[in-house]
Amino acid sequence: MADGALPISSLKGKVSEAEWQARVDLAALYRLVALHGWDDMIFTHISARVPGPEHHFLINPYGMFFGEMTASCLVKVDLDGNVVDKTPYFINPAGFTIHSAIHAAREDAHFVMHLHSDQGVAVSAHAEGLLPLSQHALIVLPQLAYHDYEGIALNLDERERLVADLGETKRLMMLRNHGTLSVGGTAAECWLGMFFLERACAQQVMALSIGRDNVLLAPEAAQAEVRKQTGMGMGMIGGLAWPGCLRKLDRELPGYAD
């Protein structure tokens, strides 16, 4: 158990192997976000679909920091955010608004990550959005959707508009004036998509520090070439990078699999 985490009994062996794996993967995502400095204290969320026909999901207990997250502390909820299993923790139902909309609309959305990083929010507030300034950005742009800011995500009506803006195939989203979002069929895919998006945002903020008129946009032909080269998405390379990410966690922020 991570230092500072509230005491909770391990659920290993008490849930199905598939659910336990989803718990471990989701806890790892929370820890990776903390390790990269992209967390926002107890705010923002990452969620995972529990394998099976019940349409249950896992999300963070409200009040715990991302670096404290463990597989056993994650809370299982239904599509309306109601807690399913007995737990000493509670969730922020409003925080599940965005996630529930995407999980319900996209069968491929097994993991959904939403962040408020400084660089992600900065680019989300830029009128031109993410610019084709870097290789990271060129990889991201074909998968990137946008959703206009409507206020704190408390209005359930917003879910329909958010899902419509994401569409049926996009896996990344810029939430205007708000932050970033990644969808993945696996934890690895979700993580790598967010990693590239956040890196692209950080690179844009740094590049624009010299002024908009002095930056070099990638040529159109190069943008088209990268679109062809990355047509298969993040799934395969995500699977290659994921084991190394877990090894890094084991070295620097262990305990996520408790």
Side-chain angles (χ1 to χ4, degrees), residues 38 117-120 122-123 126 129-141 174 194-211 214-217:
W38 296 337
S117 75
D118 292 342
Q119 296 90 343
V123 174
H126 193 279
L130 186 67
L131 296 167
L133 296 176
S134 66
Q135 180 166 281
H136 283 75
L138 297 189
I139 292 171
V140 163
L141 283 167
M174 194 72 70
M194 183 60 81
F195 179 84
F196 272 86
L197 177 55
E198 286 289 338
R199 288 293 295 273
C201 289
Q203 290 158 0
Q204 177 165 319
V205 170
M206 294 175 72
L208 292 184
S209 67
I210 63 174
N214 295 311
V215 298
L216 180 66
L217 300 182

Side-chain angles (χ1 to χ4, degrees), residues 139-155:
I139 292 171
V140 163
L141 283 167
Q143 304 183 52
L144 187 63
Y146 289 84
H147 175 66
D148 288 339
Y149 188 60
E150 299 186 23
I152 297 173
L154 301 175
N155 184 355

Side-chain angles (χ1 to χ4, degrees), residues 19-42:
E19 178 177 332
W20 181 249
Q21 188 60 56
R23 285 177 172 273
V24 171
D25 286 344
L26 182 57
L29 287 176
Y30 277 104
R31 296 290 188 100
L32 284 168
V33 168
L35 195 62
H36 283 74
W38 296 337
D39 49 340
D40 187 15
M41 208 160 62
I42 65 171

Side-chain angles (χ1 to χ4, degrees), residues 103-126:
H103 281 303
R106 292 275 295 267
E107 190 62 32
D108 62 334
H110 290 190
F111 291 84
V112 179
M113 179 187 297
H114 168 45
L115 303 181
H116 295 161
S117 75
D118 292 342
Q119 296 90 343
V121 172
V123 174
S124 78
H126 193 279

Side-chain angles (χ1 to χ4, degrees), residues 35 45-46 62 90 108 116 126 135 148 151 191 201 214 236 249-250 258:
L35 195 62
H45 309 272
I46 314 170
Y62 201 32
F90 66 98
D108 62 334
H116 295 161
H126 193 279
Q135 180 166 281
D148 288 339
W191 169 248
C201 289
N214 295 311
M236 187 271 288
L249 279 183
D250 288 337
D258 291 344

Side-chain angles (χ1 to χ4, degrees), residues 139 143 186 188-189 191-193 196 229-230 232-245:
I139 292 171
Q143 304 183 52
T186 64
E189 183 180 37
W191 169 248
L192 197 68
F196 272 86
Q229 293 169 333
T230 59
M232 295 184 67
M234 300 283 184
M236 187 271 288
I237 54 174
L240 290 174
W242 185 246
C245 293

